[in-house]
């Protein structure tokens, strides 16, 4: 197990048992890792602050977080689920955003948790997993614009324009550009 405590609050790219890139943003760590060896496989991880205050989320997120680590691209929890968590409420409409390959991610996670995935909008790279027993929907879409910040600005100028790394659990990881 790699000690990542020196990288708190940053994104790291890990290959095997080595950190190969570090950056303040997922995109920065991703592109730095590609520079190391374009053919090398790696995972992107957000390293949370150890003293962070945990936010309340459905236990379903614990089940799907390992898939985000395997995705190779940053995955962010966005919108109402982040807002609801900050307000101490559980959300059953959980949205994720990625730079690309949202539909394949939805299908990979659906297969992994034994739930059907659907294509909502192929042109916009949007997929959905419906979990009737948990009264929950997981939506996966690619950025609406060039990057996460542009995507959040396009969402709206309210408290729904929030994000956090999908593997994060604490209030300190919330991203609020507007």
């Amino acid at each position: 197990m790699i000690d990542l405590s020196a990288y708190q609050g940053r994104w790291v790219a890990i290959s095997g048992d080595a950190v190969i890139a570090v950056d303040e943003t997922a995109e920065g760590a991703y592109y730095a890792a590609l520079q190391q060896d374009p053919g090398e496989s790696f995972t992107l991880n957000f390293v949370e602050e150890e003293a962070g205050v945990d936010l309340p989320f459905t236990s379903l997120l614990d089940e799907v977080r390992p898939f985000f680590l395997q995705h190779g691209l940053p995955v962010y929890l966005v919108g109402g689920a982040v807002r609801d968590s900050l307000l101490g409420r559980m959300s059953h409409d959980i949205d994720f955003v990625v730079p690309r390959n949202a539909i394949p991610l939805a299908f990979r996670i659906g297969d992994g948790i034994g739930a059907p995935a659907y294509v909502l909008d192929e042109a916009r790279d949007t997929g959905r997993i419906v979990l009737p027993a948990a009264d929950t929907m997981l939506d996966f879409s690619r950025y609406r614009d060039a990057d996460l910040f542009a995507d959040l600005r396009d969402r709206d100028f309210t408290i729904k324009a929030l994000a956090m790394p999908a593997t994060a659990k604490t209030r300190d990881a919330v991203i609020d550009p507007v």
Side-chain angles (χ1 to χ4, degrees):
M1 187 73 166
I2 304 169
D3 178 14
L4 300 176
S5 59
Y7 307 110
Q8 291 181 35
R10 293 182 278 171
W11 286 85
V12 296
I14 298 173
S15 179
D17 60 353
V19 173
I20 60 170
V22 179
D23 197 86
E24 297 296 320
T25 67
E27 290 79 3
Y30 175 80
Y31 289 114
L34 287 178
Q35 295 298 315
Q36 296 295 323
D37 182 355
E40 188 172 3
S41 65
F42 57 87
T43 61
L44 283 175
N45 302 279
F46 177 75
V47 182
E48 289 190 88
E49 303 284 339
E50 288 179 9
V53 176
D54 281 354
L55 292 170
F57 287 110
T58 173
S59 61
L60 178 62
L61 283 181
D62 291 331
E63 191 176 342
V64 298
R65 280 187 179 108
F67 295 98
F68 301 143
L69 295 174
Q70 299 166 2
H71 187 55
L73 292 171
V75 181
Y76 295 96
L77 178 65
V78 295
V82 178
R83 175 206 58 217
D84 289 349
S85 180
L86 288 167
L87 295 172
R89 300 187 300 223
M90 291 293 165
S91 183
H92 296 282
D93 181 12
I94 303 171
D95 299 325
F96 300 95
V97 66
V98 294
R100 61 186 172 280
N101 300 328
I103 292 172
L105 177 61
F107 276 85
R108 191 174 317 114
I109 290 173
D111 288 346
I113 64 174
Y118 306 91
V119 175
L120 279 182
D121 186 336
E122 190 168 0
R124 292 187 178 99
D125 193 13
T126 304
R128 173 175 283 172
I129 299 171
V130 178
L131 302 158
D135 189 32
T136 300
M137 288 185 298
L138 306 177
D139 287 345
F140 300 84
S141 61
R142 78 164 178 256
Y143 295 158
R144 297 176 184 190
D145 210 319
D147 59 26
L148 176 67
F149 294 110
D151 177 271
L152 292 175
R153 283 190 300 275
D154 284 351
R155 287 177 183 275
D156 57 32
F157 292 101
T158 69
I159 197 164
K160 285 181 67 174
L162 298 171
M164 63 189 297
T167 56
K169 299 178 181 181
T170 66
R171 177 180 298 270
D172 295 336
V174 173
I175 302 165
D176 182 6
V178 294

